[in-house]
């Protein structure tokens, strides 16, 4: 029987406390940039840049807003996908007393190999660090393979702007995790298109204010996101 796993940033998703409500995201948020992609054009682009939808049946998770992802991430980068890398596995580092540690100890006691998640990864070239710590020009991004078909399927040549989090163990080191909740495609040269449009009021409001705007305008908005 499949286990319900609690997946954190280490496995590509931040599980946080429940939202306490929606706050105002932007000052003058109703004043969208003049130059915005038309809905018709965004619909056309979805053939090449599809929305990420759904949730794996074996994962216990909830939606996370772009603002929350920025709070827990190490920075935001503009990057180009260079190639799809081989997937890799790591044994999770677990703290005593945590559910993950108890599960690992139980596995060892029964002679079962502790859970070693597999990660899908992409080699990328970082063109700009928008916020946060420096990121190497050539690095890799990854997410937990249990989210295949849910997280964005990136292809060489695609450009994205994404919140990233430093890898913490094993083959993650030197790379950065990312998630659909904090990622936009860069399309038609200098416009952004959400990988995920959201279901909560906060997430959908953010998407409505940013989907299809120019990259520079998007970067200005996220630099000025209020923190709670």
């Amino acid at each position: 029987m499949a286990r319900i796993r609690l997946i954190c940033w280490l496995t590509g998703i931040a599980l946080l406390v429940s939202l306490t409500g929606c706050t105002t995201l932007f000052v003058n948020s109703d004043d969208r940039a003049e130059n915005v992609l038309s809905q018709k054009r965004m619909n056309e682009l979805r053939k090449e840049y599809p929305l990420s939808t759904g949730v794996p049946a074996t994962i216990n998770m909830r939606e996370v807003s772009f603002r929350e992802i920025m709070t827990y991430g190490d920075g935001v980068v503009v990057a180009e996908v260079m190639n799809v890398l081989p997937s890799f596995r790591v044994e999770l580092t677990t703290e005593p007393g945590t559910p993950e540690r108890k599960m690992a100890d139980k596995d060892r006691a029964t002679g079962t190999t502790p859970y070693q998640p597999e990660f899908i990864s992409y080699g990328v070239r970082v063109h700009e660090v928008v916020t946060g710590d420096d990121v190497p020009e050539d690095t890799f991004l990854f997410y937990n393979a249990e989210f295949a078909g849910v997280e964005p399927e990136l292809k060489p040549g695609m450009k994205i702007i994404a919140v990233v989090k430093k890898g913490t163990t094993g083959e993650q080191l030197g790379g950065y995790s990312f998630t659909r909740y904090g990622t936009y495609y860069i399309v038609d040269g200098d416009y952004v298109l959400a990988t995920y449009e959201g279901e909560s009021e906060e997430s959908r409001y953010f998407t409505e204010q940013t989907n299809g705007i120019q990259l520079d305008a998007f970067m200005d908005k996220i630099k000025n996101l209020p923190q709670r």
Side-chain angles (χ1 to χ4, degrees), residues 154-171:
L154 303 182
K155 299 177 181 178
M158 282 185 172
K159 294 182 180 179
I160 59 173
I161 178 168
V163 182
V164 296
K165 181 75 173 178
K166 290 180 182 178
T168 58
T169 187
E171 292 190 46

Side-chain angles (χ1 to χ4, degrees), residues 85-130:
L85 299 175
S87 61
F88 62 90
R89 292 182 179 273
V90 300
E91 182 172 345
L92 298 181
T93 302
T94 54
E95 297 297 327
T98 62
E100 293 85 355
R101 178 60 174 270
K102 292 177 182 178
M103 185 181 296
D105 289 343
K106 183 178 179 180
D107 286 340
R108 291 190 182 95
T110 59
T112 303
T113 302
Y115 174 55
Q116 295 183 349
E118 181 179 1
F119 294 89
I120 292 171
S121 63
Y122 303 93
V124 301
R125 178 155 297 158
V126 175
H127 293 299
E128 182 175 353
V129 177
V130 181

Side-chain angles (χ1 to χ4, degrees):
M1 181 175 64
R3 295 178 177 177
I4 302 298
R5 302 192 183 281
L6 299 178
I7 307 299
C8 63
W9 254 113
L10 180 62
T11 58
I13 290 292
L15 291 178
L16 312 171
V17 296
S18 297
L19 288 174
T20 58
C22 180
T23 59
T24 303
L25 290 175
F26 308 121
V27 176
N28 298 326
S29 59
D30 289 333
D31 298 330
R32 281 173 56 90
E34 290 183 9
N35 204 350
V36 180
L37 291 175
S38 68
Q39 187 61 54
K40 178 181 178 182
R41 180 56 182 154
M42 287 192 282
N43 291 341
E44 292 172 346
L45 288 165
R46 285 301 178 196
K47 297 175 183 177
E48 185 176 358
Y49 302 92
L51 276 172
S52 296
T53 59
V55 177
T58 58
I59 302 296
N60 182 14
M61 60 179 286
R62 71 164 184 86
E63 181 176 274
V64 183
S65 70
F66 195 99
R67 176 187 56 77
E68 286 179 288
I69 290 295
M70 283 195 65
T71 298
Y72 286 85
D74 291 319
V76 179
V77 300
V78 174
E80 180 178 358
V81 181
M82 306 306 293
N83 55 346
V84 179
L85 299 175
S87 61
F88 62 90
R89 292 182 179 273
V90 300
E91 182 172 345
L92 298 181
T93 302
T94 54
E95 297 297 327
T98 62
E100 293 85 355
R101 178 60 174 270
K102 292 177 182 178
M103 185 181 296
D105 289 343
K106 183 178 179 180
D107 286 340
R108 291 190 182 95
T110 59
T112 303
T113 302
Y115 174 55
Q116 295 183 349
E118 181 179 1
F119 294 89
I120 292 171
S121 63
Y122 303 93
V124 301
R125 178 155 297 158
V126 175
H127 293 299
E128 182 175 353
V129 177
V130 181
T131 66
D133 301 333
D134 289 341
V135 176
E137 181 180 3
D138 292 308
T139 185
F140 64 94
L141 303 181
F142 62 87
Y143 60 76
N144 192 291
E146 290 191 42
F147 293 89
V150 173
E151 292 288 2
E153 182 180 351
L154 303 182
K155 299 177 181 178
M158 282 185 172
K159 294 182 180 179
I160 59 173
I161 178 168
V163 182
V164 296
K165 181 75 173 178
K166 290 180 182 178
T168 58
T169 187
E171 292 190 46
Q172 291 181 346
L173 296 175
Y176 296 79
S177 62
F178 76 109
T179 171
R180 62 180 179 172
Y181 298 129
T183 303
Y184 277 63
Y185 302 112
I186 299 173
V187 298
D188 283 1
D190 63 347
Y191 293 87
V192 298
L193 188 65
T195 64
Y196 178 78
E197 292 188 344
E199 296 181 3
S200 70
E201 183 179 358
E202 180 174 0
S203 293
R204 292 199 67 83
Y205 183 75
F206 183 87
T207 303
E208 289 170 0
Q209 297 301 311
T210 55
N211 216 10
I213 69 174
Q214 289 185 300
L215 177 61
D216 286 347
F218 182 74
M219 290 192 291
D220 287 343
K221 286 185 181 294
I222 62 177
K223 287 176 183 177
N224 292 295
L225 276 176
Q227 302 298 312
R228 287 199 303 216

